[in-house]
């Protein structure tokens, strides 16, 4: 024939069908195409062979195919193949009511000798009481007389007898040997493979996962706590469910629009643990706000975590198996999805931190930890800080970095929570004070304060222990980038300066990035403090940032300007005062200028580079010449052009220096009017 | 540092408050791990008690149907903890019985394509043991019995009890029980007796039906010591006949030591361990410790072996026996509630939240 276009397209669909399965609408189109025999019998067989549904089979497709079957042009062997196909995917047909309404048409095929076993099986699956009619019984009995006591006929008849014993009066054997033959079909294996693959990548997918509980692949473990229960609807036995309200079981939910349409009549599953696998179900859970549902989920989750990690009764504890990993990752993605942590996870973590070695499943545990809700300041030390501190000081650099990162995430989440909920102006929320979320503003601020101070302490000691490692410093600066903006970004009237143990290592860091980031952070502090001060003047009683904070800020600011800009380090009145004689002993020329933008270890490389570019022929290096006149201006432009925007911002906002005017100038020092 | 004022925006509106309420139970959470060495003052915390009431002989047959009591004693029970049952109704026990038996049959038939003819048929009885509960907060105990019979068995052939189970809560921590919403029934202790396969099936049915979870309970050395002391204390009213303790000493290879003491002697030792200042009807952990130390010292004097280096694995008297691995046998109904109360505590301490 040589229809290349057809061939190419068929190959394309075939590959898709065999690797990922086909979506419902494709199934519908392809089935219609095949059964219509538009291209003859051969493509029909071929299409049927790769028609593997990815999710469901629309029943309309089957109804239409049966209509084509009635046309009677299809070869018997193809008809058999089609029926086998229907039987294989019967469970995936989205609903069966329309199929039942063409029960009579399907029944007609029963007389076709080759189709009879399959038709009987299909009818067996579709039969309802109302389908059992005297003429059908008669027909089956006739067939039985003709074909002998075939098991498929007997099965169907016995089902009829169950429904309407008065119609089927013949004696049937009380025990039937074997069920319907389980035909070996080409599709089963492919379908299993596809489903397995699909469930693997489903975490970000909105669809419900199929087959969470896949008995075949789970290793035989004696206590497999981490297996999600399968999504089953609750057994309905309450009278309330009979009052004609139709419920919609979660496991039948396949898309978000379906969720919206059925929002009012969705029924929670019998085991809440099963929700963890499905984002759609979680959407619903988040919407209903059902206390007991959450409590059930938490009981299950807490039990799983406790048994797996704390009690580890048998099997020598939990290893870092892929199941554990998978479970925790799923839990984390669930918490991300809901944007909050489960309280069972929280209480588990408080216990687990005490026995954790700091390396088992580190990313996952820290990921979970960053989700814990605001801890009241009265117990934050005991529950969180003490165990973390022990782990922090006895672990590697990388662990230290991850802890700081985790605490930064935690702080961000707390602050976000605060900024989201504080938008609503309202009553005092402390009325119902037994939940952390109903915390007062002051309680919340105390907790945040504790956390920030704690990280300050960790960072100070950590930096000392690790020799001011740039990596650790970078994580610490990340944290302070969050802290410095608490007022402007999150509307939290709290400003906490970094401790000296963080400030000096950053200022005297050997890498320019840290210094640049410190500059940026100081600029943000300045903006926050200015805004706070402004608001304070506007509305007298809003809040009050202590003069101590302003003083601390001014001291840092002044020190930075005089160090980087004015060559006034170590001079009296500065934060760092060193005796002249002592400095002289070090034999460093001009010690007070040793950390200017030219001689600072982080920038000296740029200064040399700049010098080389300006005076390529000069043999003797004289960095002082960079400071002179226009060159200074160019040097700064040169630095900024390397992307040191923090530095640029710092210079522009704190120093009266106008490019072009050529005057290099006095640092203004305190951008902030001193407050006391 | 900043100071705050009441006019600062604080979060709240109805919806938000409601939203937050899902965390209501959270604050009970973190302190329970008393066995991990800390307690927290911010919530009701389940603590390991340091003193208990002196066991009182209570003729429970006055309150509880003697036939039911007979079912409870003289069986060896395996212990598990159970998280609270969701939507468990005492009025639906009949339905539950039917469902459970149908479940058992269907599970047993799984994988059997051709019926073998030796079909087992299960009959399940689920009943309430009224009168066993001690406080108003305690849910009434549930007794589950599985009988098996052949389908074609003769009418008069007796049905055989193949499995029994007990879901109970005796003197459970009141604050904990109160904090649960009314849809939940807390029966934290499950005692099972019968083949492991059936226990697993029953548990999986309970899991599916009431959305609860199970885990094993081990009776710790401390709790075994408590039991030894409590049982010994009963001697004046009920002859304990002997006190038998079994230790495992961590030597290479491990050594098991069984220590059997004459009831009169052990009673004297216990009596001398009792502190005078303590209230007459309560027992202190110090008393228990000094009692056990007394036994150990005596042993050391004779055999030069310090038992405190090992762990106590088993305690038995004529009133009952208990094993570290979570097995218990209660022989006398008189002091049954005391033992069940201790086990309820163990179970509650295992609750995840």
């Amino acid at each position: 024939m040589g229809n290349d276009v057809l061939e190419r397209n068929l190959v394309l669909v075939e590959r898709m069908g065999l690797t990922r399965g086909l979506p419902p609408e494709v199934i519908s189109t392809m089935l219609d195409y095949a059964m219509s025999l538009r291209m003859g019998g051969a493509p029909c067989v071929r299409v049927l062979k790769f028609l593997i549904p990815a999710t469901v089979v629309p029943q309309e497709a089957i109804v239409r195919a049966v209509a084509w079957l009635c046309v009677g042009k299809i070869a018997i062997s193809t008809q058999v193949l089609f029926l086998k196909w229907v039987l294989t995917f019967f469970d995936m047909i989205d609903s069966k009511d329309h199929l039942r309404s063409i029960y009579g048409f399907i029944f007609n095929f029963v007389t076709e000798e080759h189709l009879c076993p399959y038709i009987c099986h299909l009818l067996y699956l579709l039969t309802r009481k109302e389908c059992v009619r005297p003429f059908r019984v008669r027909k089956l009995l006739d067939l039985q007389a003709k074909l002998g006591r075939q098991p498929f006929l007997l099965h169907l008849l016995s089902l009829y007898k169950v429904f309407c014993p008065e119609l089927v009066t013949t004696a049937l054997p009380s025990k039937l040997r074997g069920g319907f033959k389980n035909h070996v079909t080409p599709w089963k294996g492919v379908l299993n493979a596809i489903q397995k693959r699909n469930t693997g990548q489903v975490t970000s997918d909105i669809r419900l996962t199929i087959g969470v509980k896949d008995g075949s692949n789970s290793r035989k473990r004696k206590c497999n706590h981490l297996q999600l229960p399968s999504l089953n609807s609750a057994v309905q036995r309450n009278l309330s469910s009979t009052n004609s309200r139709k419920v919609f079981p979660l496991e039948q939910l396949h898309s978000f629009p379906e969720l919206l349409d059925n929002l009012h009549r969705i029924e929670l599953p019998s085991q809440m643990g099963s929700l963890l696998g499905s984002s759609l179900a979680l959407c619903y859970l988040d919407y209903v706000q059902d206390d007991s549902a959450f409590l059930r989920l938490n009981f299950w989750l807490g039990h799983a975590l406790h048994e797996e990690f704390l009690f580890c009764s048998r099997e020598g504890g939990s290893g870092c198996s892929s199941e554990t990993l998978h479970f925790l990752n799923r839990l984390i993605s669930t918490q991300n999805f809901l944007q909050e942590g489960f309280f069972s996870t929280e209480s588990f973590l408080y216990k687990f931190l005490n026995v954790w070695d700091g390396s088992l499943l580190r990313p996952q545990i820290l990921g979970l930890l960053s989700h814990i809700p605001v801890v009241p300041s009265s117990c934050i030390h005991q529950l969180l800080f003490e165990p973390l501190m022990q782990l922090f000081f006895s672990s590697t650099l990388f662990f230290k970095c991850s802890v700081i990162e985790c605490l930064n995430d935690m702080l961000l989440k707390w602050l976000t929570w605060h900024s989201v909920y504080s938008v609503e102006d309202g009553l005092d929320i402390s009325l119902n004070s037994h939940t952390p979320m109903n915390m007062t503003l002051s309680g919340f601020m105390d907790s945040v304060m504790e956390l920030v101070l704690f990280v300050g302490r960790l960072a100070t000691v950590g930096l000392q222990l690790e020799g001011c490692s740039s990596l650790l410093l970078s994580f610490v600066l990340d944290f302070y980038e969050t802290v410095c903006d608490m007022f402007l970004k999150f509307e939290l009237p709290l400003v906490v300066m970094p401790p000296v143990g963080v400030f000096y290592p950053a200022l005297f860091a050997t890498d320019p990035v840290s210094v640049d980031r410190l500059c940026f952070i100081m600029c943000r502090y300045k903006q926050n403090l200015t805004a706070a001060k402004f608001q304070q003047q506007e509305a007298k009683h809003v809040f009050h940032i202590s003069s101590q904070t302003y003083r601390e800020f001014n001291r840092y600011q002044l020190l930075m300007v005089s160090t980087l800009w004015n060559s006034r380090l170590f001079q009296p009145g500065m934060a760092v005062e060193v005796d002249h004689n002592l400095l002289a002993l070090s034999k460093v020329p001009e010690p007070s200028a040793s950390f200017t933008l030219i001689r600072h270890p982080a920038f000296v490389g740029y200064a040399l580079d700049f010098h080389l570019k300006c005076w390529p022929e000069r043999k003797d290096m004289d960095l002082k010449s960079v400071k002179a006149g226009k060159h200074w201006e160019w040097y700064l432009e040169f630095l900024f052009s390397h992307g040191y925007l923090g530095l640029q911002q710092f210079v522009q906002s704190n120093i009266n220096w106008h490019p072009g005017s050529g005057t290099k100038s006095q640092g203004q020092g305190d951008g902030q009017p001193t407050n006391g | 540092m900043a100071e705050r004022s009441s006019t600062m925006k604080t979060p709240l509106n109805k919806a938000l408050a409601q939203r937050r309420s899902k965390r209501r139970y959270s604050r009970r959470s973190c302190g329970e791990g008393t066995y991990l060495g800390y307690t927290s003052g911010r919530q009701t915390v389940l603590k390991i008690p340091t003193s208990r009431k002196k066991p009182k002989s209570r003729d429970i047959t006055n309150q509880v149907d003697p036939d039911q009591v007979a079912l409870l004693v003289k069986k060896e029970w395996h212990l598990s903890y159970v998280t609270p049952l969701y939507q468990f109704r005492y009025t639906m026990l009949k339905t539950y019985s039917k469902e459970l038996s149908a479940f058992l049959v269907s599970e047993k038939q799984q994988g059997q394509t051709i019926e073998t003819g030796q079909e087992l048929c299960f009959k399940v009885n689920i009943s309430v043991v009224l009168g066993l509960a001690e406080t108003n907060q305690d849910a009434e105990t549930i007794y589950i019995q599985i009988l098996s019979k052949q389908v074609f068995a003769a009418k008069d052939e007796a049905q055989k009890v193949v499995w029994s189970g007990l879901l109970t809560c005796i003197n459970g921590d009141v604050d904990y029980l109160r904090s649960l919403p009314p849809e939940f029934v807390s029966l934290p202790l499950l005692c099972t007796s019968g083949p492991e396969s059936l226990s697993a099936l029953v548990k999986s049915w309970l899991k599916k039906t009431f959305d609860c979870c199970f885990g094993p309970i081990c009776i710790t050395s401390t709790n075994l010591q408590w039991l030894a002391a409590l049982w010994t204390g009963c001697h004046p009213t009920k002859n304990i006949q002997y006190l038998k303790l079994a230790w495992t000493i961590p030597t290479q290879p491990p050594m098991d030591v069984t220590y059997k003491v004459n009831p009169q002697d052990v009673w004297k030792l216990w009596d001398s361990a009792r502190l005078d200042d303590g209230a007459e009807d309560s027992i202190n952990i110090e008393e228990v410790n000094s009692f056990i130390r007394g036994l150990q010292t005596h042993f050391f004097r004779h055999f030069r072996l310090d038992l405190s280096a090992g762990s106590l694995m088993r305690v038995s008297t004529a009133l009952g026996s208990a094993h570290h691995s979570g097995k218990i046998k209660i022989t006398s109904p008189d002091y049954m509630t005391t033992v069940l109360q201790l086990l309820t505590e163990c179970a509650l301490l295992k609750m995840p939240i």
Side-chain angles (χ1 to χ4, degrees), chain B residues 216-235:
Chain B
I217 295 180
C218 292
I219 310 177
T220 58
S221 278
T222 319
N223 281 322
L224 288 173
Q225 291 175 3
W226 266 112
L227 278 173
L230 291 173
W231 274 328
T232 306
C234 300
H235 185 65

Side-chain angles (χ1 to χ4, degrees), chain A residues 237 272 289 292 296 303 307 340 347 350 379 382-383 421 424-425 429 436-437 441 493 544 546 549, chain B residues 1-3 8-12 16 19-20 22-23 29-30 39 42 81 92 99 183 209 211 214:
Chain A
R237 58 165 92 81
M272 289 298 291
Q289 297 296 330
S292 353
R296 282 157 70 196
H303 169 262
E307 284 291 334
E340 59 188 326
S347 68
Y350 294 147
C379 53
Q382 182 199 18
L383 294 176
Y421 290 112
E424 326 286 333
D425 240 15
I429 51 163
M437 290 296 128
L441 178 65
H544 176 70
S546 81
T549 312
Chain B
M1 175 54 205
E3 193 185 288
M8 187 56 204
K9 295 172 194 165
T10 48
L12 185 86
L16 295 174
R19 183 186 167 77
R20 272 174 240 120
K22 79 173 88 155
R23 301 170 183 279
S29 59
C30 53
T39 53
R42 71 172 157 147
Y81 69 87
M92 296 185 65
E99 278 175 19
E183 298 94 328
T209 319
D211 204 359
F214 296 85

Side-chain angles (χ1 to χ4, degrees), chain A residues 401-467:
Chain A
C401 295
S402 346
V403 168
I404 302 281
E405 190 192 16
C406 160
L407 294 173
N408 187 22
D409 283 350
M410 190 190 291
L411 179 65
L412 270 173
K413 279 169 191 141
W414 290 8
L415 292 171
T416 311
W417 175 83
H418 167 80
S419 70
V420 168
Y421 290 112
S422 68
V423 174
E424 326 286 333
D425 240 15
L427 307 149
D428 184 15
I429 51 163
S430 60
L431 286 172
N432 192 1
S433 67
H434 59 289
T435 92
M437 290 296 128
N438 289 346
M439 214 167 198
T440 54
L441 178 65
S442 76
F444 177 75
M445 290 208 336
D446 286 346
S447 295
V448 170
M449 186 77 183
E450 288 290 342
L451 181 63
V452 173
L453 293 178
F454 173 66
V455 174
R457 287 198 301 277
L458 278 191
T460 303
V461 183
L463 284 169
Q464 273 175 23
L465 285 175
E466 300 295 338

Side-chain angles (χ1 to χ4, degrees), chain A residues 66-123:
Chain A
V66 172
W68 284 115
L69 216 58
C70 294
V71 174
K73 281 190 182 164
I74 306 171
I76 288 293
S77 61
T78 316
Q79 293 188 15
V80 170
L81 186 69
F82 166 72
L83 287 174
K84 281 184 180 174
W85 183 85
V86 174
L87 290 172
T88 308
F89 297 113
F90 189 82
D91 289 338
M92 297 175 79
I93 299 174
D94 52 3
S95 66
K96 277 108 187 170
D97 46 336
H98 290 189
L99 275 181
R100 286 202 181 95
S101 58
I102 57 164
Y103 190 92
F105 288 89
I106 299 173
F107 190 88
N108 254 354
F109 290 99
V110 94
T111 48
E112 188 62 60
E113 199 175 328
H114 298 281
L115 299 186
C116 188
Y118 309 101
I119 290 292
C120 285
H121 192 174
L122 185 58
L123 291 174

Side-chain angles (χ1 to χ4, degrees), chain A residues 214-322:
Chain A
D214 192 347
S216 63
N217 75 346
S218 73
R219 283 180 291 115
K220 283 275 174 208
R221 285 184 54 181
K222 226 175 178 182
C223 38
N224 198 349
H225 320 288
L226 300 185
Q227 192 159 58
L228 303 191
S230 53
L231 196 60
N232 289 323
S233 48
V235 189
Q236 290 170 36
R237 58 165 92 81
N238 305 334
L239 290 172
S240 62
S241 63
T242 56
N243 59 9
S244 81
R245 195 178 69 106
K246 260 185 112 176
V247 291
F248 193 92
L250 264 177
E251 74 260 27
Q252 285 178 19
L253 207 60
H254 296 288
S255 68
F256 197 73
E258 257 177 33
L259 171 69
L260 293 183
D261 289 345
N262 298 296
L263 212 48
H264 55 291
R265 55 193 184 109
I266 280 179
E267 179 198 37
L268 285 167
S270 59
Q271 284 172 283
M272 289 298 291
S274 56
L275 290 195
L276 211 59
S278 146
S279 346
L280 260 187
L282 288 171
C283 278
Y284 178 68
L285 185 66
D286 202 37
Y287 160 76
V288 288
Q289 297 296 330
D290 180 339
D291 269 357
S292 353
F294 267 93
L295 198 56
R296 282 157 70 196
L297 187 54
N298 275 298
F299 271 125
W300 174 81
L301 188 62
H303 169 262
L305 291 168
H306 277 76
E307 284 291 334
E308 187 69 18
F309 296 101
L310 286 173
F311 303 151
C312 359
S313 32
R314 273 158 278 183
E315 320 258 320
S318 67
C320 192
S321 70
S322 65

Side-chain angles (χ1 to χ4, degrees), chain B residues 194-344:
Chain B
E196 190 59 30
S197 63
L198 272 176
S199 305
L201 284 178
V202 174
K203 283 180 192 173
S204 93
W205 178 78
L206 288 167
K207 266 187 208 171
K208 285 206 172 95
T209 319
F210 305 112
D211 204 359
C212 53
C213 307
F214 296 85
I217 295 180
C218 292
I219 310 177
T220 58
S221 278
T222 319
N223 281 322
L224 288 173
Q225 291 175 3
W226 266 112
L227 278 173
L230 291 173
W231 274 328
T232 306
C234 300
H235 185 65
T237 46
K238 179 105 187 169
N239 192 346
I240 61 167
Q241 292 174 23
Y242 57 88
L243 173 72
K244 203 156 93 182
L245 302 159
W247 266 277
T248 296
I249 312 293
T251 50
Q252 234 7 293
M255 183 169 32
D256 292 330
V257 175
T258 310
Y259 187 175
K260 196 170 169 182
V261 199
N262 178 300
Q264 272 311 316
D265 300 346
V266 79
W267 160 251
K268 267 186 201 145
L269 181 65
W270 172 238
D271 201 37
S272 68
R274 295 278 279 146
L275 298 171
D276 297 333
D277 60 335
E280 189 51 36
D281 59 346
S282 82
I283 297 173
N284 241 311
I285 184 77
E286 285 93 40
E287 295 168 338
V288 176
N289 286 340
S290 80
F291 169 62
I292 297 292
R293 228 175 301 127
L295 285 168
Q296 287 171 343
T297 326
H298 180 73
F299 192 85
F300 184 78
R301 209 168 290 141
H302 286 277
F303 301 97
R304 299 280 137 199
L305 188 68
D306 190 0
L307 289 174
S308 64
S311 45
L312 185 56
M313 301 303 283
R314 190 184 174 85
V315 172
S316 50
T317 66
L319 300 181
S321 73
H323 193 276
H324 167 77
S325 64
K327 285 182 218 158
I328 194 144
K329 193 169 175 178
I330 301 171
T331 0
S332 153
D334 299 358
Y335 297 98
M336 191 159 68
T337 46
T338 313
V339 178
L340 287 177
Q341 180 184 342
L342 186 127
L343 297 175
T344 303

Side-chain angles (χ1 to χ4, degrees), chain A residues 53 104 123 158 161 226 244 346 398 437 522 569 580 600 654 663:
Chain A
L123 291 174
S158 62
K161 192 169 182 169
L226 300 185
S244 81
E346 189 193 350
F398 299 103
M437 290 296 128
M522 290 304 289
L569 183 65
H580 275 294
H600 192 292
N654 293 313
T663 48

Side-chain angles (χ1 to χ4, degrees), chain B residues 104-172:
Chain B
L104 292 175
V105 170
S106 81
E107 287 292 312
K108 283 277 175 189
Q109 277 177 354
Q110 254 180 23
Q112 289 185 356
T113 43
I114 300 166
E115 291 108 23
T116 49
Q118 288 196 327
E119 226 171 338
L120 274 175
C121 186
F122 291 107
K123 187 175 184 310
V124 178
N125 287 328
I126 301 183
S127 52
V128 195
V129 184
L130 287 169
L132 210 54
E134 293 261 287
T135 66
N136 284 338
Q137 295 297 325
D138 287 347
E140 291 289 354
T141 301
I142 293 294
Y143 189 74
I144 305 172
Q145 193 177 46
I146 300 177
L147 306 131
S148 94
K149 56 172 183 184
Q150 299 291 326
V151 176
F152 304 109
K155 280 265 161 9
D156 53 342
E157 197 174 321
Q159 296 176 344
K160 207 172 76 192
V161 177
V162 285
W163 190 90
S164 22
L166 187 68
L167 276 163
T168 189
C169 178
I170 305 292
N171 257 327

